[in-house]
Structure formats: structure tokens, C-alpha cells
Amino acid sequence: MELNKLVNILLVDDDEDCRMLIRDAIESAHIKNHIDEVADGKEALDFLYQKNQYANAQRPGLIFLDIDMPIMNGIETLKVIKSDPQLRWIPVVMMTAITDDKEKRLAAENGANSYTIKPTDPMRFIDTVLSATQYWLGIHQYPEEIIKGP
Amino acid sequence: MWLSTRGKILALITTTVITLVLLTAFLQAQKVSFGIIFLIVVLGLSLSYLQIYKLFRPLNQLLENLAPLDGIRALPYDQYQPMSIKSGDEFGHLAEVFNRVLLDMKKLVEREKEAVRDLLEVVDAIVHGDLSKRAPVQSKDELGKLAEAINKMTADLQRAQDEIKEYQRDLEKKVEERTRELQNVNMRLRREMAEKEDFLRAVSHDLGAPLRNILGIANMIERKFGNELTDEVRDRLRRISKNAQQELELIAELLELSRIKTRRQQFEPVDIKQLLQQIQDNLSYALEEHNIQLVLQNNYPVIIAEKNRIKQVFQNLIDNAIKYIGERADPRIEIGYANFNGMHKFWVKDNGRGIRKEDQQTIFHVFRRVKDPKIATIPGKGVGLTTVKSIIETYNGEIWVESELGQGSTFYFTLDKMTVQDAA
């Protein structure tokens, strides 16, 4: 599959090991897109708005967003992203360990593009993440301005 | 008895005519002395008559007044008229007494009538719920006593009513208080349940996350460095994965166990026969592997319940039966049903190794497994039967086991028909 090489990926998860696993999985599938990592929602917004240490950050074309995070959780972060006309085009894949209908609905209502559950079998989760990556980077057509950035 | 006016006139004319004829006859016969004597006799008789008449007239009037028609029947008291006899003799006196008695009687009757009217008014008010009126007590006779009795009764009623009202107010206040207390307890319980739910969520997340990472990393090592690993390292990695996987499943089961009583699921018609056939399909591999015959009946009911939970009850019991059936020639698991004292009674019967008496109670406790080296190798976490018991208890049911070593075990459980309505 020919992937859109211009698209960067942003991983938002407070669990460093989990980030490493996702990165490993993406790399092991020979996906060469650039991956940035941040540990919570506030950092993610700093990254997206190029604030503080992220002044030179490149706008991502795909976000993996964990829900249970300290400082600012995934749902709050999602709300900000999806209410900003500059950012709302970026596909956001929510990640959670909890199968909770309320949370699923909340994510959907706030414009999540996908909702994945970290199941008891982590390899299934890794495969899900890979499928999501391949879909958004390989099949989805981005508007030009997302790729070019501000 | 006494002549009428017409009779009197007729008598007077007849007497006068006879007197005149006789007088004329006496004069013609020149018997003047006879005539004079005769005239004197007639005059004397007339005077006597007048005297007698004067005597009987008031008597006559009295009688006419008392019994004017036939002299026998008495009149209603209010139709008697006072007599107007003005003579000063005994008759006048008699009439006066009569008049006074008549007046007194009329007055008495009027007064009694008025007293009865007053009483009736009070009674009527009581009948219509007004207890504020009191009857005037005007005399000491029976009517007066009746009025007093009615007044006392009314006062008693009023007091009783006031007490009831007071009691009602008290009761309402108490109900209000209890309701408020219950609402508070309810709110506290809800809050505690929500807190517990949050706690469980957090525990499940925080316990599960590192395990998921361990599993993920072990798998990723295999995936990423597979070619460089020795068989020994690969074997150790798989052991890491297996242990972590078991722990994750245990956490999931414990989480589910803790939610059975706090988070009820949707109630829907559950066709037990269909449910058992589904379980049979799911377990077909395990059943065939151990050559086990699963025997179903034809009389299972359709109940209204939480489908997944009821399924879990059967699934866990059948799973256990398969796991612990042991080696024997004709392994067999039978699912029975009977209607039992307003309860649905089911049983899962196997002809396996059986359970020792001392273990028959503890197996329903969480993390308690039978301590037997022969079955120590059988995978299990000691949560399955606790989950089953917990679910059954939410349906006001019971679970128990009858078993004999070497003969097999039968797990019985009941579901209250009031909590699982029969589907129409």
C-alpha cells in the first residue's frame, strides 16, 4: 500500500511503554512516517499550537489519543481539537482500556474519527492501530492545507 | 237526645196549638176553672223545661266540643277549641279547667316538638360531618337526657376525630421524615456506587495497563526479533505472555463479578433452550475433545432476565463440569429443569470425579478451589462459581451442590419467578 509520506503521526499517551509499543508496531509494519510523542492533552495542544518547547512542531495528519490521562484527558483534548477550524480536519483515533458505552458516546459526540479499545489481547490492539494507520495514511484523502500546514 | 232547633220550634208550635185548642174547648164548655188550672200546668211545665235546658246546654256544648261527630271518637289535640262558657257555676268552672288543660297540653306538645327539632338538627349536622353543633338541654325529662347524651356523643366523636387528625398529621410528618431519610440514604448509596464504579474502573485500568504492556512487549520482541531468538528465549517469552494474559482475564472477571449486583443489564425474553443450544455450539470443540455427551431436555422455560448473565451461569457451570469431569468411559453432562415452589429449578449434572464434602461449601467462595493435587493442573482462577452464585442471588435464587466422590456432581440452582417473569 502506498502511504501518504507527508503525513506525520502524533501519539498522545501518558504511558511511555504503550507509546513505545505503538511506535514499534508502526515501525515493524515498515511504515516510515514521522512519529511525535507527547504525554498528556495539554502537551498535545501545545504541540498542535506550536507553543513552548514545541515552537517548531510540524502539524500531524493523524492523532492517536489516549482517553485516561492526567492533567488533561483525551475527551477534553478532543473537544478543543474538533472545535478549532484549523485542526478539526485531523483524524483522531481515540484509545481506551475501558469498554464503556458512555465514554464511547462521548467520544463520538465530540467528533472522534475512530474509537479503539486496548483489549486484553494487546496484539489485537496493535493490529487495530496498524489498520487505523493504514486506512488514514493510505486510503483517506486529505485536504491540501492539512498537509502543507500553516 | 236533645232536639234540634227545628224540633224545638215544632214542639213549641205543637204545644201552643194543643194548649190553645184545649183552652178554647175549656172556654166553650164554660169550664173556666179547668182552663185556668190547665194554663198554670202548661206554664209550669214550660218553666221546668227552660230550667232543664239551661242545665244541659253547657253539658251539651262540652260534649260537642270533645266529640262532635258521634260522641265516641277523640279528636287530634290541636283541633280542640277552647270553650266559651261564661257561667259562674260548676259548668263554667269545668269549661275553664278544660280550657287551661288544653292550653297546657298544646304548649307542652309544641315545646317537645321544638326540642325534637333541635335534636334532629344536631343529629343531621353530625350525619353531615359537622360536630360543632350542640343540642340545647331545656328540661330534665327524657328529651333533655337524650339531648345530653347526643351532646356527649358528639363531643366524644369530636375528640376522637381530633385525635385521628393529630395522629394523621404525626404520621404524615413521620412519613415525610422517613422519605427524606430514605432519599438521603439512597443518594449516599448512589454516590457510593458511583465511587465504587470509579474505583473499579481505575483499578482495572491501572492493574491492566502494565500487564497489557508486558504482553505487548513480549509479543513485540517475538515479532521484531523473532529470527534472532533461540527457542529457549522464545519459550520464556511465551510463558511471560501466558501469565500476563491469565492475570488480565482474572482482572476482567473480577471487575465483572463486582458489577453483577450494582449494574443490572437489560431484561429481555430468554429462551433457555435456545441459550443452551448456543452454549453447546460454542463448546462443541471441548465436548468432542473429551467425548462428552451433553444431554438437553425439552421442557425449558422462556424467562425475562438479563440474557448475558443467565448465559454466564450455564456457561460457567458447564465449563466446570467439562474441566473437572476427569477420565471415564462415558462422560455425560445433563441439564435439567423443573418447576419448583414458585421457582425455576435448574441443575447441571455430571458423572465425573465428584467433590469432597468438605469442599462443597468453599467452592462458591472467591479464589477458593478444591485442594487436590490431581486437579491442581486444571486451569482455573476460582472466580467462576462465585460469579454464578452472585448472579443467582440477584434473582433471589440459591445454588447448592450434591456430590459424591467418584459418582459425579449435581449443581442445583433456583431463580425466583417473581424476579424472572415468565414470558407470555
Side-chain angles (χ1 to χ4, degrees):
Chain A
M1 189 188 292
E2 187 63 29
L3 296 180
N4 192 333
K5 293 198 176 59
L6 290 169
V7 175
N8 289 347
I9 299 168
L10 177 63
L11 271 177
V12 190
D13 199 321
D14 59 316
D15 186 338
E16 196 203 327
D17 293 339
C18 190
R19 293 203 305 265
M20 183 205 76
L21 263 175
I22 295 171
R23 204 176 50 230
D24 270 2
I26 292 173
E27 281 166 7
S28 74
H30 307 293
I31 298 169
K32 302 268 187 275
N33 292 55
H34 178 72
I35 302 170
D36 288 298
E37 292 176 29
V38 291
D40 62 65
K42 195 183 164 298
E43 265 193 63
L45 293 180
D46 280 356
F47 187 94
L48 291 169
Y49 289 118
Q50 298 173 315
K51 280 190 201 158
N52 303 330
Q53 77 259 42
Y54 302 111
N56 297 317
Q58 288 279 307
R59 179 175 292 173
L62 176 62
I63 300 172
F64 283 100
L65 184 57
D66 185 32
I67 290 182
D68 288 280
M69 288 187 296
I71 303 172
M72 187 177 191
N73 72 30
I75 297 287
E76 293 305 311
T77 315
L78 177 72
K79 276 185 194 165
V80 177
I81 295 172
K82 289 302 177 184
S83 58
D84 184 334
Q86 295 289 314
L87 302 177
R88 70 160 67 114
W89 311 101
I90 308 173
V92 178
V93 178
M94 305 301 288
M95 304 184 294
T96 179
I98 292 154
T99 51
D100 187 325
D101 268 346
K102 211 170 78 191
E103 204 172 74
K104 245 184 250 182
R105 202 177 55 240
L106 212 58
E109 278 167 5
N110 285 293
N113 298 80
S114 169
Y115 189 93
T116 60
I117 294 160
K118 299 173 179 174
T120 36
D121 176 3
M123 294 325 283
R124 266 176 53 212
F125 171 63
I126 295 296
D127 290 338
T128 314
V129 168
L130 280 179
S131 304
T133 310
Q134 279 162 346
Y135 169 76
W136 290 109
L137 269 51
I139 296 166
H140 181 67
Q141 292 297 311
Y142 286 89
E144 282 298 306
E145 69 265 30
I146 290 288
I147 308 300
K148 285 179 189 154
Chain B
M1 186 190 311
W2 287 96
L3 293 173
S4 62
T5 313
R6 209 171 134 208
K8 283 173 195 159
I9 291 168
L10 209 65
L12 192 63
I13 290 169
T14 312
T15 312
T16 310
V17 168
I18 291 171
T19 307
L20 284 176
V21 168
L22 283 175
L23 209 59
T24 313
F26 284 135
L27 286 176
Q28 276 177 355
Q30 290 176 340
K31 299 249 167 88
V32 179
S33 54
F34 278 120
I36 289 165
I37 291 165
F38 177 71
L39 211 59
I40 288 166
V41 169
V42 168
L43 271 172
L45 279 172
S46 296
L47 279 172
S48 303
Y49 174 80
L50 274 176
Q51 209 50 44
I52 289 166
Y53 177 73
K54 208 173 152 195
L55 187 70
F56 279 89
R57 200 176 61 108
L59 256 183
N60 189 26
Q61 202 182 350
L62 192 65
L63 256 176
E64 264 180 12
N65 211 335
L66 284 173
L69 293 176
D70 49 19
I72 297 164
R73 200 156 53 87
L75 281 176
Y77 79 97
D78 54 350
Q79 282 183 23
Y80 289 115
Q81 297 302 319
M83 285 184 284
S84 53
I85 301 171
K86 296 276 186 319
S87 63
D89 57 9
E90 285 78 2
F91 289 109
H93 190 65
L94 190 65
E96 217 179 288
V97 170
F98 173 80
N99 284 349
R100 204 172 301 154
V101 168
L102 187 65
L103 199 70
D104 282 354
M105 193 174 77
K106 278 187 177 175
K107 267 191 196 158
L108 182 74
V109 170
E110 281 309 317
R111 208 174 54 229
E112 304 261 289
K113 262 179 142 181
E114 204 177 323
V116 171
R117 254 200 309 277
D118 285 348
L119 283 180
L120 272 177
E121 219 171 89
V122 174
V123 170
D124 195 49
I126 294 169
V127 167
H128 288 93
D130 178 9
L131 299 179
S132 64
K133 282 212 164 84
R134 294 288 180 275
V137 183
Q138 284 158 334
S139 59
K140 297 207 159 160
D141 59 6
E142 282 75 7
L143 268 178
K145 280 180 191 156
L146 184 62
E148 268 174 4
I150 286 177
N151 286 347
K152 187 176 176 299
M153 193 181 77
T154 316
D156 285 351
L157 260 175
Q158 176 95 60
R159 206 165 31 248
Q161 213 178 51
D162 286 350
E163 273 168 24
I164 287 171
K165 271 185 192 156
E166 181 81 5
Y167 181 71
Q168 247 172 359
R169 265 198 298 279
D170 252 30
L171 208 66
E172 271 166 24
K173 228 168 84 186
K174 269 184 196 152
V175 166
E176 222 170 83
E177 269 168 32
R178 286 290 136 78
T179 310
R180 219 174 12 249
E181 275 168 30
L182 273 177
Q183 275 169 344
N184 287 343
V185 170
N186 207 2
M187 244 160 66
R188 208 185 61 230
L189 277 176
R190 268 173 209 272
R191 209 169 41 236
E192 278 172 9
M193 253 166 80
E195 276 166 12
K196 186 188 163 203
E197 192 60 34
D198 281 350
F199 171 74
L200 285 171
R201 238 175 86 104
V203 165
S204 139
H205 180 260
D206 294 351
L207 287 179
L211 284 169
R212 268 190 297 276
N213 288 345
I214 291 169
L215 259 173
I217 293 165
N219 278 294
M220 196 50 75
I221 291 171
E222 256 197 288
R223 201 186 270 204
K224 230 176 158 178
F225 308 105
N227 300 333
E228 302 157 38
L229 301 178
T230 63
D231 284 350
E232 203 183 351
V233 174
R234 208 175 284 123
D235 174 64
R236 301 300 184 269
L237 279 175
R238 281 192 190 138
R239 281 170 195 270
I240 292 173
S241 293
K242 192 188 79 190
N243 278 287
Q245 185 71 41
Q246 279 173 3
E247 194 69 15
L248 268 177
E249 280 166 16
L250 177 61
I251 291 170
E253 278 175 37
L254 282 176
L255 193 68
E256 188 52 35
L257 173 64
S258 73
R259 280 176 175 162
I260 285 168
K261 283 178 182 163
T262 54
R263 203 192 266 188
R264 300 305 295 265
Q265 296 175 348
Q266 196 200 333
F267 277 62
E268 56 185 313
V270 184
D271 186 334
I272 301 293
K273 187 171 177 112
Q274 242 174 43
L275 192 84
L276 288 171
Q277 281 166 344
Q278 217 179 329
I279 294 172
Q280 192 174 27
D281 285 347
N282 294 344
L283 293 173
S284 60
Y285 176 75
L287 290 169
E288 274 166 32
E289 192 190 346
H290 298 95
N291 201 23
I292 299 168
Q293 197 191 349
L294 183 68
V295 184
L296 301 186
Q297 278 178 208
N298 270 322
N299 63 341
Y300 304 117
V302 177
I303 61 175
I304 307 280
E306 299 152 297
K307 192 172 186 174
N308 286 333
R309 298 244 158 105
I310 298 295
K311 187 177 174 184
Q312 204 171 0
V313 168
F314 283 108
Q315 178 102 40
N316 286 9
L317 288 175
I318 296 169
D319 269 348
N320 275 356
I322 294 174
K323 268 201 294 198
Y324 299 110
I325 207 159
E327 294 299 322
R328 56 173 305 134
D330 55 341
R332 199 180 134 92
I333 299 169
E334 188 188 313
I335 319 289
Y337 169 76
N339 214 329
F340 172 73
N341 278 350
M343 306 280 249
H344 292 295
K345 181 182 175 186
F346 296 92
W347 60 90
V348 177
K349 181 183 176 143
D350 68 58
N351 55 358
R353 71 179 79 227
I355 303 164
R356 286 183 305 184
K357 267 263 169 311
E358 57 264 44
D359 291 325
Q360 287 179 11
Q361 279 308 308
T362 53
I363 49 171
F364 295 107
H365 299 165
V366 72
F367 294 137
R368 293 290 283 274
R369 297 184 66 207
V370 172
K371 290 187 181 68
D372 183 343
K374 268 187 238 151
I375 60 166
T377 52
I378 300 171
K381 298 174 283 284
V383 183
L385 277 178
T386 315
T387 304
V388 167
K389 186 167 184 265
S390 208
I391 293 172
I392 287 165
E393 279 168 0
T394 64
Y395 290 93
N396 294 333
E398 278 183 87
I399 181 164
W400 67 97
V401 64
E402 286 172 11
S403 180
E404 224 171 285
L405 270 183
Q407 300 294 310
S409 311
T410 309
F411 283 84
Y412 294 93
F413 69 91
T414 53
L415 303 174
D416 186 2
K417 280 190 178 175
M418 297 299 277
T419 43
V420 285
Q421 303 151 295
D422 289 306

